[in-house]
Amino acid sequence: MNRKSSPVVRTMFLAMMALAGAASAATPQAAPKVDPAKGATLYADGDPSRGLPSCLSCHGAAGNSTIVANPKLAGQPEAYLYKQLVDFTRPERAQPIMTTYAKMLTAEEKRNISAYLAAQSQTPGAAKNRESIELGKKIYRGGLAEKSVPACASCHGPAGAGNPSKYPRIGGQHQDYTIAQLAAFKGHGRKNSAEMTTIAQRMSDDEIKAVADYVAGLK
């Protein structure tokens, strides 16, 4: 190589390498592959080698919990479920049981379980308190204007089906679980939604119970 031209060649080579690196960085990364079948197996069997129990022991077969304190997970938006599993590993939604198990799951396992549950059908629920049904309906469909409480349906949909990533499915959910979550938002025990914290703080305990009962019967 001609010594006089070496610096020029070297400079051009380095410039080409820099451009190649920039192009590589700009190339979008492929989305991680999601495997609902693996999620189903992990949900049903857990992983005894890690001390990870079966999810169905608390959340029921196919995500349909029969324990009113534990949520039904069947039919929840996949992105929302994944976000909550991640949030359980953070201070914003620390919970003794779920935080322990969520930290044991890899990101891939979180996605697989979320995909599996999102594809399941939720068993219907039912409203139980006839005395509060009209109040619950009013709050869900029209909100409480005098308290600046928006209609729940504006975010969660007319049938409570939710909205991927941000808003969960609440139609058909156990009354006890919905009440507990609204109370947690109200008391700052759950901090992963500024919107829900603000809204819950504007509601009385009776209003929370009424809307929780009403949404349990949505289909």
Side-chain angles (χ1 to χ4, degrees), residues 19 30 47 57 77 84 96 112 114 117-118 133 149 155-156 173 192 212 217:
L19 288 171
D47 186 350
S57 60
Q84 298 312 302
N112 291 343
S114 299
L117 288 168
I133 194 75
V149 173
C155 291
H156 294 282
Q173 188 58 267
N192 67 336

Side-chain angles (χ1 to χ4, degrees), residues 124-138:
K128 299 176 181 178
N129 192 341
R130 292 184 178 181
E131 294 180 2
S132 69
I133 194 75
E134 287 304 316
L135 174 59
K137 181 178 180 179
K138 173 189 174 183

Side-chain angles (χ1 to χ4, degrees), residues 28-110:
Q29 297 296 312
K33 187 176 181 180
V34 177
D35 192 333
K38 287 184 178 179
T41 299
L42 191 58
Y43 181 89
D45 301 334
D47 186 350
S49 68
R50 287 184 285 167
L52 183 68
S54 160
C55 306
L56 66 77
S57 60
C58 289
H59 293 287
N64 282 296
S65 166
T66 57
I67 303 171
V68 296
N70 297 336
K72 296 178 184 178
L73 302 177
Q76 283 287 2
E78 180 179 340
Y80 179 81
L81 286 170
Y82 176 76
K83 179 182 182 298
Q84 298 312 302
L85 285 172
V86 172
D87 284 354
F88 276 124
T89 67
R90 299 169 175 167
E92 290 78 11
R93 199 178 180 187
Q95 199 272 352
I97 296 174
M98 283 306 304
T99 293
T100 298
Y101 299 141
K103 286 182 176 180
M104 296 171 70
L105 296 170
T106 66
E108 180 182 355
E109 288 169 338
K110 288 181 177 72

Side-chain angles (χ1 to χ4, degrees), residues 125-137 139-140 170-180 182 203 205-219:
K128 299 176 181 178
N129 192 341
R130 292 184 178 181
E131 294 180 2
S132 69
I133 194 75
E134 287 304 316
L135 174 59
K137 181 178 180 179
I139 296 170
Y140 190 83
I170 58 175
Q173 188 58 267
H174 295 305
Q175 286 94 331
D176 288 27
Y177 179 75
T178 302
I179 290 169
L182 288 171
M203 298 174 68
D205 291 347
D206 286 341
E207 289 164 347
I208 284 174
K209 290 176 182 177
V211 77
D213 187 61
Y214 177 74
V215 299
L218 291 177
K219 298 177 177 61

